[in-house]
């Protein structure tokens, strides 16, 4: 008898709760569409200002700043030589590539030795930052820009510090092993540095693609296209999460450039941080604010780099959970500055809290329909509304990418992506949302 009365009370309250969730879904859809519109206006202004830039003339000017690329390849990879080839083919005149690798990984090491004729070289350098031990320094007889540091340790932060210690130029740019840079990545990054005398950091938002020479290839797998669309959605909807911070915390292992003096002043990359790049950026924010120094740190929306796609859905979910852990660790280690600089709180809400609210809404409405508290038509319309709003947001993000950067993508591929944006709501986005919630 008591159970029946409780059930009746719950059933009576469920319609109000369901209408509340419906209002939230509509409100979030409107807000996200407004965020996409805002991103459109910002991108339109930026792209219009950059179209008049003559990058070739800029590269020959006296204002150019040379760059030290640092590749921490201390763990074994399947494509080290391919990535080195990519990094040595950039359209930029003055830069060096410092690869920190482990000669114990025979296949990777032999591919570098044979391709670039590495020779041992005695070169003293100042060990300003705490780093991993370097056994031998090698230089390439084939390309003078390539320097290889041999180390038996596998700490990524220590490898980045070793590269920073050895670097010759005022800008250092970490490049992680699963990234491939576009030809003009350094040109656009250095131009952003030169355009702002107070700049200490320029970040990027990595797209997802298999073929860097043709990222919009029809040969991309179904899973690759899903990851690509999910990344664009995060870029254009969650702009508040990175606009002031300079990095999107769950995706911090991307291409970025730091002013070397700011890195040294802040103590370099931390070996105890799960996301060493994001942790360093927040410490730079904290130091600059504490010392009341004028500075800027921002993220370029241009497609400066591509991240190799995950090969299976399990790998996709593992990468999402890892990104969530890195975000939490970064915020925990830098609580004070994370509260001062807008972005960290917005990112955590978008990545963790809102997906939970959406999931609870779906569960409550379905339960209400089963119990007869709301009509079956209401349940169906609620679910369809969530699917359609999500699909529209993803499709608009893909359309904005085309509009802003004039991709000239094949029409058939665009239609395929728009259709995939709808299908994704029923599978891919559900699994990724669950991974974020329960990470």
């Amino acid at each position: 008898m008591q159970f029946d009365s409780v059930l009746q009370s719950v059933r009576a309250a469920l319609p109000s709760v369901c209408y509340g969730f419906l209002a939230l879904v509509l409100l979030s859809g409107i807000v996200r569409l407004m965020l996409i519109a805002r991103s459109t206006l910002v991108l339109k202004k930026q792209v219009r200002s950059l179209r008049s830039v003559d990058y070739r003339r800029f590269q020959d000017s006296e204002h150019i700043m040379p760059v030290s690329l640092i590749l921490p390849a201390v763990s074994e990879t399947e494509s080290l030589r391919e990535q080195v080839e990519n990094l040595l083919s950039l359209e930029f005149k003055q830069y060096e590539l410092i690869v920190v690798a482990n000669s114990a990984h025979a296949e990777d090491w032999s591919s570098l030795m044979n391709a670039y004729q590495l020779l041992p070289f005695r070169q003293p350098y100042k060990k300003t930052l705490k780093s991993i031990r370097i056994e031998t320094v090698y230089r390439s007889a084939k390309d003078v820009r390539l320097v290889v540091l041999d180390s038996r340790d596998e700490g990524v932060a220590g490898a980045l510090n070793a590269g920073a210690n050895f670097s010759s130029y005022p800008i250092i740019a970490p490049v992680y092993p699963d990234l491939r840079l576009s030809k003009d990545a350094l040109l656009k990054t250095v131009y952003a540095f030169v355009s702002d005398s107070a700049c200490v950091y320029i970040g990027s938002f990595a797209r997802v693609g298999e073929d860097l020479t043709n990222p919009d290839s029809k040969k991309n797998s179904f899973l690759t296209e899903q990851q690509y669309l999910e990344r664009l959605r995060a870029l254009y909807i969650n702009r508040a999460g990175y606009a002031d911070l300079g990095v999107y915390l769950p995706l911090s292992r991307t291409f970025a450039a730091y002013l070397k003096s700011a890195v040294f002043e802040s103590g370099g990359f931390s070996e105890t941080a799960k996301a060493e790049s994001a942790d360093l950026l927040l410490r730079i924010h904290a130091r600059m604010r504490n010392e009341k120094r004028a500075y800027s740190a921002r993220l370029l929306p241009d497609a400066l780099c591509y991240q190799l796609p995950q090969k299976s859905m399990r790998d996709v979910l593992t990468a999402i959970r890892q990104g969530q852990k890195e975000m939490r660790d970064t915020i925990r280690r830098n609580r004070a500055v994370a509260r001062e600089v807008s972005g960290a709180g917005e990112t955590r809400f978008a990545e963790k809290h809102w997906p939970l609210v959406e999931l609870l809404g779906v569960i409550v409405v379905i339960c209400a329909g089963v119990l007869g508290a709301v009509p079956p038509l209401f349940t169906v319309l609620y679910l369809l509304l969530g699917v359609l709003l999500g699909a529209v947001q993803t499709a608009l993000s893909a359309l904005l990418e085309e509009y802003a950067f004039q991709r000239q993508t094949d029409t058939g591929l665009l239609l395929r992506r728009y259709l995939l944006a709808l299908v994704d709501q029923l599978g891919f986005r559900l699994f990724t949302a669950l991974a974020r919630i329960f990470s």
Side-chain angles (χ1 to χ4, degrees), residues 378-400:
F378 177 90
T379 303
V380 172
L381 291 178
Y382 180 91
L383 298 176
L384 280 177
L385 181 64
V387 169
L388 290 175
L389 281 175
V392 168
Q393 292 158 17
T394 304
L396 285 177
S397 298
L399 185 62
L400 178 54

Side-chain angles (χ1 to χ4, degrees), residues 13 27 31 40 52 69 79-80 162 182 212 260 262 268 270 290 343 373 378 383 388 395 412 428-429 431 434 439:
L27 180 62
V31 169
T40 303
S52 60
L69 293 175
S79 54
L80 179 57
S182 61
L212 183 62
K260 184 163 73 171
S270 173
N290 290 337
F378 177 90
L383 298 176
L388 290 175
F428 184 83
R429 290 212 67 242
F431 289 121
L434 291 173
S439 62

